[in-house]
Amino acid sequence: MKLKQIIEKLENISSPFFQETYDNCGLLIGNEAWDCSGILCTLDVTEEVVKEAIKNNCNFIVTHHPIIFNSIKKINYHNYIEKCITLAIKNDIAIYAIHTNLDNIITGVNDVIAQKLNLINKRILLPKTDTLKKLFTFVPIAYADKIKSALFDAGAGNIGNYSECSFGVEGIGTFKANTAANPYIGEIGKQQEEKELKIEVIFPTYLEKNIVNTLLKVHPYEEVAYDIIELNNTNNAVGSGLIGELPEAKDEQLFLHQIKAAFGLQVIKHTELLYKKVKKVAICGGAGSFLIKKALAAEADFFITSDIKYHEFFDAESKMVIADIGHWESEQFTPNLLVEILRVNFPTFAVLKSNVHTNPVRYFI
Ligand SMILES: [Zn+2]
């Protein structure tokens, strides 16, 4: 199997289009045309992880955190990044990063955390607004079903838990073919009136090329009339953080114990307890201080995240408990999610989870 096939599957689930602007997702080292001997999933790439991949005959590392993040102007084998890159290239190991795009899908990093806490009624905390477009097209009635189902197959028409969503209205289209045309219907130089269905479907922006190509392929007209517009709608399936509810409200201390057990923590850094029941819980795997205000606005009782700075703890404003559980700790189950995605899609292929403990932070208790 080629890396390309595996990458296509990953990007079908979590498009690089959903990554944050500062991020560097995608194939960082290697070539899509390479044959894949095995896949190793990890949270971080370290030299030990690359060695583990070599030892297990996995020439493809799928990592959450990109090993190449900031610009690199020299590779002098000085720091761990340069050493990892060199080791990977010397051994023909490809490295693919699936980072904030996996954070930003509703079934991604944060959902894994939510599952560990048994949260229900989950939704994205800060949905994205620039990820959807709409297609309007005008089709002869006899072709309407064929075109609609082709567009649905190409990824159009999904709204929340509903698929195959479209709207159609019948009308009369007019057109006049010039002498260079080869019209599917009507005569050269004579205005033709045709009963058509105007179909409208929503689609994720990143699928635009695919959607338009599909339309052009199945539509019978020589010149296909269509309009594409950008939407300001929020995309409730894509965005930062997640908020959900505990099945039953519980005391803060009890909930802290639950978090500790679920994530195997030695310690939780948190703001003052408010001595009220915990029901609504906001989460953000990795650094989540940018969502404190969103979590407050959503009336979360707890916000579980990591990398909170001293002054940012004050932003809890005695209205919510911020619990900093550690960056690695919050995302430690992400490689399991990657393994699961890959094993489901490539059941006969070798997909391993790294056994290297990559957390650079230690606690002296
Ligand atoms: Zn992270």
Side-chain angles (χ1 to χ4, degrees), residues 15-253:
S15 168
F17 177 78
F18 296 145
Q19 71 180 299
E20 298 299 329
T21 48
Y22 57 78
D23 207 358
N24 190 34
C25 298
L27 188 59
L28 306 180
I29 296 174
N31 190 291
E32 282 194 342
W34 287 2
D35 282 318
C36 184
S37 60
I39 311 169
L40 183 69
C41 300
T42 182
L43 187 65
D44 306 284
V45 178
T46 62
E47 272 189 286
E48 287 69 34
V49 172
V50 181
K51 284 177 191 163
E52 187 187 22
I54 297 165
K55 198 175 132 211
N56 288 289
N57 191 32
C58 294
N59 70 341
F60 191 31
I61 296 174
V62 177
T63 177
H64 182 51
H65 294 136
I67 181 75
I68 302 173
F69 197 68
N70 299 312
S71 63
I72 294 174
K73 296 189 174 175
K74 297 185 186 99
I75 299 182
N76 296 142
Y77 216 70
H78 277 153
N79 57 38
Y80 88 96
I81 296 171
E82 295 173 12
K83 286 175 187 170
C84 284
I85 294 169
T86 312
L87 190 63
I89 292 174
K90 272 186 180 172
N91 289 279
D92 293 331
I93 304 286
I95 299 180
Y96 179 89
I98 181 163
H99 188 211
T100 49
N101 49 337
L102 193 63
D103 290 328
N104 283 340
I105 58 168
I106 196 157
T107 52
V109 173
N110 294 315
D111 188 48
V112 177
I113 300 171
Q115 283 176 34
K116 293 283 169 194
L117 297 167
N118 304 317
L119 298 190
I120 54 171
N121 302 330
K122 297 171 281 187
R123 62 181 170 83
I124 296 269
L125 189 55
L126 177 59
K128 280 194 180 287
T129 54
D130 53 353
T131 61
L132 294 168
K133 288 192 176 184
K134 192 168 238 194
L135 168 78
F136 300 90
T137 186
F138 311 86
V139 306
I141 305 288
Y143 273 78
D145 287 343
K146 189 182 173 191
I147 291 171
K148 267 193 286 186
S149 63
L151 291 171
F152 296 150
D153 287 347
N158 294 311
I159 303 175
N161 293 325
Y162 295 83
S163 59
E164 305 194 3
C165 305
S166 73
F167 183 77
V169 59
E170 273 186 34
I172 303 293
T174 68
F175 45 86
K176 183 165 82 177
N178 69 22
T179 51
N182 180 22
Y184 163 76
I185 199 159
E187 290 170 37
I188 304 279
K190 197 174 157 199
Q191 193 194 72
Q192 173 76 18
E193 277 195 357
E194 189 63 27
K195 213 179 198 186
E196 292 174 339
L197 188 73
K198 179 185 179 186
I199 298 172
E200 51 187 277
V201 281
I202 202 165
F203 65 87
T205 304
Y206 74 96
L207 290 179
E208 181 167 343
K209 213 168 136 190
N210 194 20
I211 299 280
V212 172
N213 285 343
T214 301
L215 173 66
L216 299 181
K217 215 157 100 186
V218 292
H219 200 294
Y221 288 0
E222 187 179 29
E223 289 294 342
V224 178
Y226 66 93
D227 308 318
I228 287 173
I229 56 163
E230 283 184 13
L231 300 179
N232 281 327
N233 301 37
T234 49
N235 185 342
N236 292 322
V238 179
S240 308
L242 199 139
I243 187 160
E245 290 174 6
L246 293 172
E248 275 177 42
K250 60 173 68 174
D251 290 338
E252 291 161 322
Q253 295 246 2

